[in-house]
Amino acid sequence: DIDHLNLRVQKELVEWLNWLKADIGFDGWRFDFAKGYSADVAKIYIDRSEPSFAVAEIWTSLAYGGDGKPNLNRDQHRQELVNWVDKVGGKGPATTFDFTTKGILNVAVEGELWRLRGTDGKAPGMIGWWPAKAVTFVDNHDTGSTQHMWPFPSDRVMQGYAYILTHPGTPCIFYDHFFDWGLKEEIDRLVSVRTRHGIHNESKLQIIEADADLYLAEIDGKVIVKLGPRYDVGNLIPGGFKVAAHGNDYAVW
């Protein structure tokens, strides 16, 4: 165990981080199991090493109801993520992985896409509150891969990417999906759409529909994304939009 309250430990870790920056060329940090030490300690490491980007893993289980599905109110879950960023410094480079969005997406793509519109009409994850500080993802080395601790439905992974790569927040692509699952070309197309239209972590999201079999949203007035098996959505797509990417139960205009 590392005693992060020990001043010598703090000093040596800061020196190591600065060596990684100056000599090796790293410019960002990922704080693993950030619940294992206080945000005040993380703030010391960030303030004294000045990375251009930092992201924390704060993995807390969602609250579930008797039906085994996440409760509709996820405010407490995403509040914990927001609190960490606040304590570390909201004006600095600190962000957190948006585990709230991950948990909701896991269930939503299984025929409950209405979950992707919160009671306030915004996205229900951390991206609905503070998208600039939310790092979205479909799976990572813990949730998917060989550990398989909280995997995304394997046949609907591209719906997850269609969501995070068109929405605000900072999307993170899982190595396994990109290199091992044969999804490189599909993911590349979505990345190209995001880049070409300048979608960014604070882009404006307008949710048009959120039903069991259809989620439709417009981002920055430039991109429209559809998730779900419903195909008769032509009347909801404004004129001038053309399909730029599509796949199993998703499309992007």
Side-chain angles (χ1 to χ4, degrees):
D1 292 342
I2 298 175
D3 180 7
H4 287 280
L5 297 179
N6 184 297
L7 295 181
R8 179 182 174 186
V9 168
Q10 291 179 8
K11 178 177 179 293
E12 292 185 354
L13 277 174
V14 168
E15 289 175 352
W16 177 64
L17 291 172
N18 281 311
W19 172 78
L20 287 173
K21 272 186 64 182
D23 289 20
I24 308 301
F26 285 97
D27 62 357
W29 316 133
R30 176 188 181 276
F31 288 88
D32 190 53
F33 189 57
K35 293 178 67 175
Y37 43 92
S38 73
D40 294 331
V41 169
K43 177 176 173 58
I44 291 171
Y45 297 143
I46 290 174
D47 287 351
R48 295 181 186 175
S49 65
E50 298 183 340
S52 61
F53 181 78
V55 59
E57 179 200 44
I58 304 168
W59 185 354
T60 302
S61 178
L62 290 173
Y64 292 87
D67 59 357
K69 302 290 181 65
N71 290 342
L72 294 182
N73 189 319
R74 275 83 49 157
D75 289 356
Q76 183 176 352
H77 193 267
R78 53 183 173 173
Q79 187 65 56
E80 183 177 9
L81 304 178
V82 167
N83 288 347
W84 189 90
V85 175
D86 267 332
K87 289 179 181 177
V88 172
K91 294 183 179 179
T95 66
T96 63
F97 286 111
D98 191 347
F99 277 92
T100 316
T101 289
K102 153 71 173 168
I104 296 165
L105 266 176
N106 269 26
V107 178
V109 297
E110 299 274 31
E112 299 183 2
L113 291 166
W114 51 268
R115 291 181 177 273
L116 296 178
R117 176 159 52 193
T119 54
D120 58 2
K122 299 179 180 180
M126 186 181 177
I127 60 172
W129 279 4
W130 202 355
K133 296 297 182 178
V135 175
T136 52
F137 67 103
V138 175
D139 265 327
N140 62 29
H141 63 285
D142 289 321
T143 67
S145 196
T146 54
Q147 297 202 64
H148 225 59
M149 294 173 67
W150 198 27
F152 203 86
S154 60
D155 59 336
R156 301 171 194 266
V157 160
M158 283 307 305
Q159 287 188 57
Y161 281 111
Y163 184 89
I164 69 170
L165 289 172
T166 57
H167 278 53
T170 302
C172 183
I173 297 168
F174 186 33
Y175 181 101
D176 291 21
H177 293 158
F178 196 74
F179 291 105
D180 300 337
W181 284 39
L183 300 176
K184 182 179 184 298
E185 287 188 10
E186 274 194 88
I187 293 173
D188 268 342
R189 278 196 294 271
L190 292 171
V191 171
S192 294
V193 170
R194 184 181 185 89
T195 304
R196 190 164 62 247
H197 294 285
I199 304 303
H200 54 87
N201 60 8
E202 292 186 277
S203 285
K204 182 181 178 182
L205 172 66
Q206 179 190 356
I207 299 172
I208 301 168
E209 291 284 343
D211 299 324
D213 63 345
L214 172 66
Y215 172 79
L216 192 69
E218 186 175 307
I219 302 87
D220 282 348
K222 301 175 181 177
V223 171
I224 295 176
V225 60
K226 186 215 77 159
L227 307 183
R230 194 192 301 179
Y231 286 99
D232 56 335
V233 297
N235 61 314
L236 298 173
I237 307 298
F241 280 85
K242 296 181 179 180
V243 175
H246 63 90
N248 185 27
D249 287 346
Y250 78 88
V252 178
W253 289 263

